Amino acid sequence: MVIRSKIKLSLGSLPFPRLVIDQGHMLVVGPTGSGKTNTVKVVLEELEKNEVPSLVLDFHGEYDELPRVTPGEDLSFNMLATQEIEFIVDILSSVFQVSEPQWYILLKALKRGKPPYRLVDVISLLEEEAVRDWREYEIKSALLRRLTILNEGTLGKTLNGDNPPSFLFEKTVAVDLSRLPVRYRGLLSLIILKHLYDYVTSKTRPGRIMHATVIEEAWNILTYRARWEQPTIGERLFLELRKYGELVIAVSQRLDDLSERAVYNSRYILLTSFTQLELQKLGCQLQASELLKYTKLKRGVVLCITENCRIRRLKVRGAKRSMHR
């Protein structure tokens, strides 16, 4: 694999310049039909030319050009594939925001078993765990209700496999989440992102883009929150992954739908449509003449905003019909 500190993305034809990217995340923002998906596909094509594989968490089945896997059909992995009990407690706590009493009961139940665990094994151990009073019974029942959601239907088939999902991070692939009920798409995405984090942190990847992950409907993962609220697990993973050579491309209809911290920590922001208020939220104070210069973007033209509010327009070509088959 070719390892580059910087990558040139030829998004369109001259005289529009290339976008040169280094370590750091990217946002692609705009309303439905404004060209977000096409822009992301062209970015992925350019990354592929530079031998950077990509994972797409495809909420609506829009990435037919890529090799794809479908949860419950040809995508099955063990979400708890590890010999370490602490990892299992960590991933379940991260996804469900497990309370301290629930964490304690889960840890006790797991110590009675023998790794490697599958989700169905964890549920069985938890069901058999003795409780001392009605309070512990309620805590245990609440935890079981959460875990049972993961163990049913398509989600259960997907998460009770035999091996970790490391194969998702080694070659270009799209996970077709459109077959899942909407309420489960973000949940499975979080589980995959947690495994991605553990996968990349086990390797030495300082200062270089080694892999890209696209999060469609990113508001499900980088949820907007008030500044005094604790960051979500999705936000924490987003901020940490950049340290390990991971380029996360978050796609959303509006900046307002995303965590402010995630927005401010994105190095490249591509707007397929925008308002003056959105530019102000990004810290870009433009004169009326400058604003007029950038308004009413034609289809296929994006506004690229980088560090220190450097703004330029980029012409984005149409994506190819097939890629890396």
Side-chain angles (χ1 to χ4, degrees):
M1 176 180 291
V2 177
I3 299 177
R4 306 178 188 276
S5 58
K6 292 186 178 182
I7 296 177
K8 295 180 179 179
L9 306 180
S10 299
L11 303 183
S13 58
L14 297 175
F16 297 92
R18 294 178 177 179
L19 176 61
V20 180
I21 63 172
D22 201 347
Q23 192 175 19
H25 296 328
M26 179 183 295
L27 297 184
V28 181
V29 181
T32 300
S34 62
K36 296 190 304 296
T37 301
N38 179 74
T39 299
V40 174
K41 289 179 179 180
V42 173
V43 170
L44 296 184
E45 289 174 6
E46 292 298 309
L47 291 173
E48 188 76 10
K49 291 178 183 177
N50 287 274
E51 300 184 40
V52 176
S54 305
L55 166 67
V56 179
L57 300 175
D58 185 3
F59 272 63
H60 301 295
E62 296 179 305
Y63 290 79
D64 292 332
E65 303 85 353
L66 302 180
R68 55 201 298 106
V69 292
T70 303
E73 295 181 14
D74 50 358
L75 174 60
S76 178
F77 62 89
N78 184 359
M79 68 172 286
L80 307 176
T82 179
Q83 296 290 322
E84 299 179 7
I85 292 178
E86 290 77 11
F87 174 87
I88 296 173
V89 174
D90 181 38
I91 192 169
L92 293 176
S93 299
S94 297
V95 171
F96 287 117
Q97 301 293 315
V98 172
S99 66
E100 188 171 338
Q102 291 172 337
W103 181 92
Y104 175 72
I105 287 180
L106 178 60
L107 189 60
K108 280 205 309 176
L110 289 172
K111 286 182 176 179
R112 291 190 295 101
K114 183 178 179 181
Y117 303 93
R118 291 183 304 156
L119 182 60
V120 65
D121 302 325
V122 174
I123 292 175
S124 295
L125 287 169
L126 195 56
E127 287 175 336
E128 296 167 2
E129 181 65 25
V131 295
R132 293 174 296 182
D133 53 36
W134 66 270
R135 291 184 181 85
E136 285 195 354
Y137 174 79
E138 289 296 330
I139 292 168
K140 170 182 163 180
S141 297
L143 186 55
L144 276 171
R145 285 194 296 270
R146 294 183 177 189
L147 295 183
T148 301
I149 292 174
L150 297 178
N151 201 44
E152 295 177 340
T154 301
L155 211 53
K157 293 178 182 177
T158 303
L159 300 177
N160 276 298
D162 298 320
N163 301 307
S166 55
F167 60 92
L168 291 176
F169 317 132
E170 294 166 352
K171 296 181 179 180
T172 294
V173 64
V175 178
D176 185 1
L177 299 170
S178 65
R179 306 292 183 87
L180 287 175
V182 174
R183 64 184 181 277
Y184 294 154
R185 296 175 193 177
L187 183 58
L188 182 56
S189 295
L190 276 177
I191 292 170
I192 292 173
L193 287 171
K194 181 63 174 66
H195 276 280
L196 170 64
Y197 175 77
D198 289 289
Y199 177 83
V200 299
T201 54
S202 68
K203 302 179 180 296
T204 303
R205 298 180 169 182
R208 297 163 179 166
I209 297 175
M210 298 290 290
H211 182 268
T213 298
V214 176
I215 307 175
E216 286 282 342
E217 302 293 348
W219 61 269
N220 289 278
I221 308 301
L222 305 174
T223 309
Y224 176 82
R225 62 178 176 84
R227 294 181 180 180
W228 57 84
E229 294 177 332
Q230 291 294 319
T232 63
I233 176 61
E235 183 179 329
R236 295 199 301 271
L237 289 171
F238 180 82
L239 297 175
E240 287 294 317
L241 280 167
R242 62 179 290 176
K243 302 175 184 177
Y244 299 97
E246 188 69 24
L247 166 63
V248 178
I249 304 172
V251 186
S252 180
Q253 293 192 22
R254 301 192 314 155
L255 284 173
D256 285 346
D257 294 334
L258 303 175
S259 152
E260 288 185 2
R261 194 175 176 198
V263 172
Y264 294 147
N265 280 275
S266 296
R267 193 166 184 180
Y268 312 97
I269 300 178
L270 304 183
L271 303 178
T272 58
S273 178
F274 71 95
T275 65
Q276 183 177 2
L277 183 59
E278 286 177 321
L279 291 181
Q280 290 174 346
K281 287 182 178 179
L282 294 173
C284 301
Q285 302 295 333
L286 301 181
Q287 300 294 328
S289 58
E290 293 179 301
L291 185 63
L292 185 62
K293 175 182 175 182
Y294 295 117
T295 55
K296 298 182 179 180
L297 295 175
K298 295 181 180 179
R299 185 172 178 81
V301 178
V302 302
L303 203 65
C304 177
I305 303 175
T306 52
E307 291 176 306
N308 299 319
C309 209
R310 183 187 175 196
I311 302 176
R312 54 192 171 129
R313 288 178 296 180
L314 294 173
K315 173 68 174 178
V316 181
R317 58 178 169 81
K320 298 177 181 177
R321 292 187 178 181
S322 62
M323 175 181 167
H324 198 75
R325 286 266 181 202

